Amino acid sequence: MHEIAIVDNLITVVDDQVKEHQLEKVHRVHLVVGQLTGVVEDVLRFCWQVSAEGTPWEGAQLTVDQKAAVALCADCNVEYELKEQCFACPHCGGAIKSLVTGKELYIDYIEGD
Ligand SMILES: [Zn+2]
């Protein structure tokens, strides 16, 4: 249930934006969530709804852009999508050098007025 902590963080960001742009009502919050964050979207939505009660973002649409997990191979330098429990490079069997995408979790934009 780390979704509660995540929502807490998101709300801090939304709250800052609301104040900065003097928004009276937030219509939409668009999130980018990487596959490797382990976030369960339904749980995230539930936590969001509960915490949004009585705020300017109550009833705002929460849209989520799921980012696939992509790694860079240390041996052949090819980028490949990580499949469940299979982290070796499908081209050469090499190890991961770094993650390209999959761990992001941030608010892309907020719509409101
Ligand atoms: Zn490789």
Side-chain angles (χ1 to χ4, degrees), residues 79-95:
E79 287 184 7
Y80 61 97
E81 197 172 321
L82 291 175
K83 303 289 181 200
E84 289 172 52
Q85 308 302 326
C86 178
F87 295 134
C89 172
H91 305 283
C92 73

PDB file of all heavy atoms in Angstrom, residues 79-95:
ATOM      1  N   GLU A  79      18.662  -1.327 -26.563  1.00  0.00           N
ATOM      2  CA  GLU A  79      17.590  -1.078 -25.605  1.00  0.00           C
ATOM      3  C   GLU A  79      16.510  -2.135 -25.810  1.00  0.00           C
ATOM      4  O   GLU A  79      16.135  -2.423 -26.938  1.00  0.00           O
ATOM      5  CB  GLU A  79      16.997   0.312 -25.819  1.00  0.00           C
ATOM      6  CG  GLU A  79      17.915   1.411 -25.343  1.00  0.00           C
ATOM      7  CD  GLU A  79      17.284   2.796 -25.473  1.00  0.00           C
ATOM      8  OE1 GLU A  79      16.095   2.884 -25.810  1.00  0.00           O
ATOM      9  OE2 GLU A  79      18.011   3.770 -25.236  1.00  0.00           O
ATOM     10  N   TYR A  80      16.038  -2.692 -24.722  1.00  0.00           N
ATOM     11  CA  TYR A  80      14.988  -3.702 -24.838  1.00  0.00           C
ATOM     12  C   TYR A  80      13.983  -3.580 -23.703  1.00  0.00           C
ATOM     13  O   TYR A  80      14.308  -3.109 -22.616  1.00  0.00           O
ATOM     14  CB  TYR A  80      15.598  -5.106 -24.873  1.00  0.00           C
ATOM     15  CG  TYR A  80      16.390  -5.473 -23.635  1.00  0.00           C
ATOM     16  CD1 TYR A  80      15.799  -6.215 -22.609  1.00  0.00           C
ATOM     17  CD2 TYR A  80      17.709  -5.079 -23.491  1.00  0.00           C
ATOM     18  CE1 TYR A  80      16.515  -6.548 -21.470  1.00  0.00           C
ATOM     19  CE2 TYR A  80      18.424  -5.403 -22.359  1.00  0.00           C
ATOM     20  CZ  TYR A  80      17.831  -6.131 -21.345  1.00  0.00           C
ATOM     21  OH  TYR A  80      18.533  -6.444 -20.212  1.00  0.00           O
ATOM     22  N   GLU A  81      12.762  -4.025 -23.985  1.00  0.00           N
ATOM     23  CA  GLU A  81      11.704  -3.950 -22.992  1.00  0.00           C
ATOM     24  C   GLU A  81      11.832  -5.116 -22.012  1.00  0.00           C
ATOM     25  O   GLU A  81      12.027  -6.253 -22.426  1.00  0.00           O
ATOM     26  CB  GLU A  81      10.341  -4.007 -23.692  1.00  0.00           C
ATOM     27  CG  GLU A  81       9.219  -3.518 -22.804  1.00  0.00           C
ATOM     28  CD  GLU A  81       7.908  -3.384 -23.553  1.00  0.00           C
ATOM     29  OE1 GLU A  81       7.930  -2.943 -24.727  1.00  0.00           O
ATOM     30  OE2 GLU A  81       6.879  -3.732 -22.974  1.00  0.00           O
ATOM     31  N   LEU A  82      11.748  -4.798 -20.732  1.00  0.00           N
ATOM     32  CA  LEU A  82      11.853  -5.845 -19.719  1.00  0.00           C
ATOM     33  C   LEU A  82      10.528  -6.584 -19.603  1.00  0.00           C
ATOM     34  O   LEU A  82       9.482  -5.966 -19.451  1.00  0.00           O
ATOM     35  CB  LEU A  82      12.191  -5.239 -18.356  1.00  0.00           C
ATOM     36  CG  LEU A  82      13.577  -4.642 -18.188  1.00  0.00           C
ATOM     37  CD1 LEU A  82      13.680  -3.995 -16.818  1.00  0.00           C
ATOM     38  CD2 LEU A  82      14.646  -5.691 -18.345  1.00  0.00           C
ATOM     39  N   LYS A  83      10.598  -7.886 -19.687  1.00  0.00           N
ATOM     40  CA  LYS A  83       9.416  -8.701 -19.471  1.00  0.00           C
ATOM     41  C   LYS A  83       9.487  -9.243 -18.047  1.00  0.00           C
ATOM     42  O   LYS A  83      10.566  -9.300 -17.460  1.00  0.00           O
ATOM     43  CB  LYS A  83       9.358  -9.860 -20.476  1.00  0.00           C
ATOM     44  CG  LYS A  83       9.392  -9.401 -21.928  1.00  0.00           C
ATOM     45  CD  LYS A  83       8.097  -8.726 -22.334  1.00  0.00           C
ATOM     46  CE  LYS A  83       8.149  -8.306 -23.793  1.00  0.00           C
ATOM     47  NZ  LYS A  83       7.173  -7.272 -24.127  1.00  0.00           N
ATOM     48  N   GLU A  84       8.344  -9.691 -17.565  1.00  0.00           N
ATOM     49  CA  GLU A  84       8.265 -10.193 -16.193  1.00  0.00           C
ATOM     50  C   GLU A  84       9.389 -11.163 -15.859  1.00  0.00           C
ATOM     51  O   GLU A  84       9.564 -12.169 -16.523  1.00  0.00           O
ATOM     52  CB  GLU A  84       6.945 -10.950 -15.992  1.00  0.00           C
ATOM     53  CG  GLU A  84       5.733 -10.067 -15.971  1.00  0.00           C
ATOM     54  CD  GLU A  84       4.476 -10.906 -15.961  1.00  0.00           C
ATOM     55  OE1 GLU A  84       4.386 -11.793 -15.098  1.00  0.00           O
ATOM     56  OE2 GLU A  84       3.616 -10.709 -16.821  1.00  0.00           O
ATOM     57  N   GLN A  85      10.085 -10.880 -14.798  1.00  0.00           N
ATOM     58  CA  GLN A  85      11.103 -11.774 -14.236  1.00  0.00           C
ATOM     59  C   GLN A  85      12.209 -12.150 -15.212  1.00  0.00           C
ATOM     60  O   GLN A  85      12.956 -13.087 -14.977  1.00  0.00           O
ATOM     61  CB  GLN A  85      10.466 -13.073 -13.701  1.00  0.00           C
ATOM     62  CG  GLN A  85       9.320 -12.869 -12.761  1.00  0.00           C
ATOM     63  CD  GLN A  85       9.682 -12.042 -11.540  1.00  0.00           C
ATOM     64  OE1 GLN A  85      10.784 -12.113 -11.031  1.00  0.00           O
ATOM     65  NE2 GLN A  85       8.750 -11.209 -11.088  1.00  0.00           N
ATOM     66  N   CYS A  86      12.279 -11.470 -16.319  1.00  0.00           N
ATOM     67  CA  CYS A  86      13.320 -11.821 -17.272  1.00  0.00           C
ATOM     68  C   CYS A  86      14.117 -10.561 -17.589  1.00  0.00           C
ATOM     69  O   CYS A  86      13.706  -9.745 -18.404  1.00  0.00           O
ATOM     70  CB  CYS A  86      12.694 -12.405 -18.535  1.00  0.00           C
ATOM     71  SG  CYS A  86      13.918 -12.798 -19.781  1.00  0.00           S
ATOM     72  N   PHE A  87      15.245 -10.431 -16.914  1.00  0.00           N
ATOM     73  CA  PHE A  87      15.994  -9.188 -17.024  1.00  0.00           C
ATOM     74  C   PHE A  87      17.195  -9.273 -17.962  1.00  0.00           C
ATOM     75  O   PHE A  87      17.861  -8.293 -18.228  1.00  0.00           O
ATOM     76  CB  PHE A  87      16.447  -8.715 -15.636  1.00  0.00           C
ATOM     77  CG  PHE A  87      15.299  -8.347 -14.743  1.00  0.00           C
ATOM     78  CD1 PHE A  87      15.242  -8.778 -13.435  1.00  0.00           C
ATOM     79  CD2 PHE A  87      14.253  -7.568 -15.230  1.00  0.00           C
ATOM     80  CE1 PHE A  87      14.165  -8.434 -12.608  1.00  0.00           C
ATOM     81  CE2 PHE A  87      13.181  -7.216 -14.416  1.00  0.00           C
ATOM     82  CZ  PHE A  87      13.134  -7.654 -13.107  1.00  0.00           C
ATOM     83  N   ALA A  88      17.473 -10.473 -18.465  1.00  0.00           N
ATOM     84  CA  ALA A  88      18.614 -10.613 -19.364  1.00  0.00           C
ATOM     85  C   ALA A  88      18.265 -10.075 -20.754  1.00  0.00           C
ATOM     86  O   ALA A  88      17.112 -10.093 -21.174  1.00  0.00           O
ATOM     87  CB  ALA A  88      19.027 -12.073 -19.447  1.00  0.00           C
ATOM     88  N   CYS A  89      19.270  -9.606 -21.443  1.00  0.00           N
ATOM     89  CA  CYS A  89      19.082  -9.064 -22.784  1.00  0.00           C
ATOM     90  C   CYS A  89      18.603 -10.181 -23.734  1.00  0.00           C
ATOM     91  O   CYS A  89      19.218 -11.243 -23.806  1.00  0.00           O
ATOM     92  CB  CYS A  89      20.402  -8.491 -23.277  1.00  0.00           C
ATOM     93  SG  CYS A  89      20.358  -7.994 -25.001  1.00  0.00           S
ATOM     94  N   PRO A  90      17.508  -9.948 -24.465  1.00  0.00           N
ATOM     95  CA  PRO A  90      16.991 -10.977 -25.367  1.00  0.00           C
ATOM     96  C   PRO A  90      17.881 -11.181 -26.599  1.00  0.00           C
ATOM     97  O   PRO A  90      17.767 -12.179 -27.304  1.00  0.00           O
ATOM     98  CB  PRO A  90      15.618 -10.448 -25.766  1.00  0.00           C
ATOM     99  CG  PRO A  90      15.692  -8.977 -25.555  1.00  0.00           C
ATOM    100  CD  PRO A  90      16.677  -8.731 -24.454  1.00  0.00           C
ATOM    101  N   HIS A  91      18.782 -10.229 -26.844  1.00  0.00           N
ATOM    102  CA  HIS A  91      19.645 -10.322 -28.023  1.00  0.00           C
ATOM    103  C   HIS A  91      20.915 -11.119 -27.746  1.00  0.00           C
ATOM    104  O   HIS A  91      21.329 -11.942 -28.547  1.00  0.00           O
ATOM    105  CB  HIS A  91      19.998  -8.923 -28.537  1.00  0.00           C
ATOM    106  CG  HIS A  91      18.784  -8.100 -28.819  1.00  0.00           C
ATOM    107  ND1 HIS A  91      18.015  -8.270 -29.942  1.00  0.00           N
ATOM    108  CD2 HIS A  91      18.181  -7.123 -28.099  1.00  0.00           C
ATOM    109  CE1 HIS A  91      16.984  -7.428 -29.908  1.00  0.00           C
ATOM    110  NE2 HIS A  91      17.071  -6.715 -28.800  1.00  0.00           N
ATOM    111  N   CYS A  92      21.526 -10.854 -26.585  1.00  0.00           N
ATOM    112  CA  CYS A  92      22.800 -11.522 -26.309  1.00  0.00           C
ATOM    113  C   CYS A  92      22.856 -12.172 -24.930  1.00  0.00           C
ATOM    114  O   CYS A  92      23.852 -12.791 -24.577  1.00  0.00           O
ATOM    115  CB  CYS A  92      23.934 -10.512 -26.449  1.00  0.00           C
ATOM    116  SG  CYS A  92      23.986  -9.323 -25.093  1.00  0.00           S
ATOM    117  N   GLY A  93      21.788 -12.024 -24.135  1.00  0.00           N
ATOM    118  CA  GLY A  93      21.779 -12.621 -22.800  1.00  0.00           C
ATOM    119  C   GLY A  93      22.575 -11.817 -21.782  1.00  0.00           C
ATOM    120  O   GLY A  93      22.816 -12.269 -20.667  1.00  0.00           O
ATOM    121  N   GLY A  94      22.995 -10.632 -22.170  1.00  0.00           N
ATOM    122  CA  GLY A  94      23.816  -9.787 -21.297  1.00  0.00           C
ATOM    123  C   GLY A  94      23.035  -9.168 -20.145  1.00  0.00           C
ATOM    124  O   GLY A  94      21.808  -9.288 -20.062  1.00  0.00           O
ATOM    125  N   ALA A  95      23.768  -8.528 -19.253  1.00  0.00           N
ATOM    126  CA  ALA A  95      23.157  -7.906 -18.076  1.00  0.00           C
ATOM    127  C   ALA A  95      22.725  -6.472 -18.371  1.00  0.00           C
ATOM    128  O   ALA A  95      23.160  -5.872 -19.354  1.00  0.00           O
ATOM    129  CB  ALA A  95      24.150  -7.924 -16.930  1.00  0.00           C
TER     130      ALA A  95
END
